[in-house]
């Protein structure tokens, strides 16, 4: 007989005029982004009890956002041509890769 494993529910702020929500299926993380990250990025997972929060500069709407498995690099995509990589230990340290 197979068993179905259910995870804890993850509560996050609803999508609205200033809030966008993203899901990283690989790392099972929900990202709630307010005002392009300027007023906060909140990362939650059903597999971890800790909540991760950051503030990043708003350089426009975010298309995709992910956190590395080591929790050390935040990648933010705002256009089809480039991705920003932020060192989460020092969010002022930024690297951008253009296509």
């Amino acid at each position: 007989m197979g068993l179905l494993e259910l995870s804890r529910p993850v509560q996050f702020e609803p999508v609205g005029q200033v809030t966008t929500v993203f899901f990283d299926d690989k790392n099972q993380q929900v990202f709630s982004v307010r005002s392009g990250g300027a007023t906060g990025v909140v990362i939650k997972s059903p597999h971890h009890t800790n909540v991760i929060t950051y503030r990043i500069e708003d350089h426009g709407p975010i298309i995709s956002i992910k956190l590395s498995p080591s929790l050390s690099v935040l990648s933010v995509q705002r256009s089809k041509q480039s991705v920003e990589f932020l060192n989460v230990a020092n969010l002022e340290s930024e690297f951008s890769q253009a296509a």
Side-chain angles (χ1 to χ4, degrees):
M1 173 190 304
L3 297 175
L4 176 64
E5 182 180 333
L6 300 176
S7 62
R8 305 181 301 109
V10 175
Q11 294 183 346
F12 53 90
E13 194 167 341
V15 174
Q17 289 184 348
V18 296
T19 304
T20 52
V21 176
F22 300 91
F23 180 68
D24 179 352
D25 58 340
K26 171 73 171 128
N27 294 318
Q28 299 291 297
Q29 295 169 325
V30 176
F31 295 77
S32 180
V33 181
R34 291 185 46 83
S35 301
T39 57
V41 176
V42 179
I43 306 167
K44 296 181 179 182
S45 171
H47 305 295
H48 304 343
T49 56
N50 59 332
V51 175
I52 302 168
T53 59
Y54 301 110
R55 286 185 185 222
I56 59 176
E57 291 187 30
D58 182 2
H59 295 290
I62 295 174
I63 297 172
S64 178
I65 186 167
K66 305 233 182 213
L67 186 62
S68 67
S70 65
L71 309 178
S72 61
V73 177
L74 183 67
S75 62
V76 180
Q77 183 178 6
R78 298 182 193 268
S79 75
K80 292 181 181 180
Q81 291 81 25
S82 69
V83 177
E84 301 166 31
F85 297 96
L86 302 151
N87 177 348
V88 297
N90 176 9
L91 288 176
E92 294 179 12
S93 173
E94 181 179 320
F95 172 75
S96 180
Q97 179 64 45

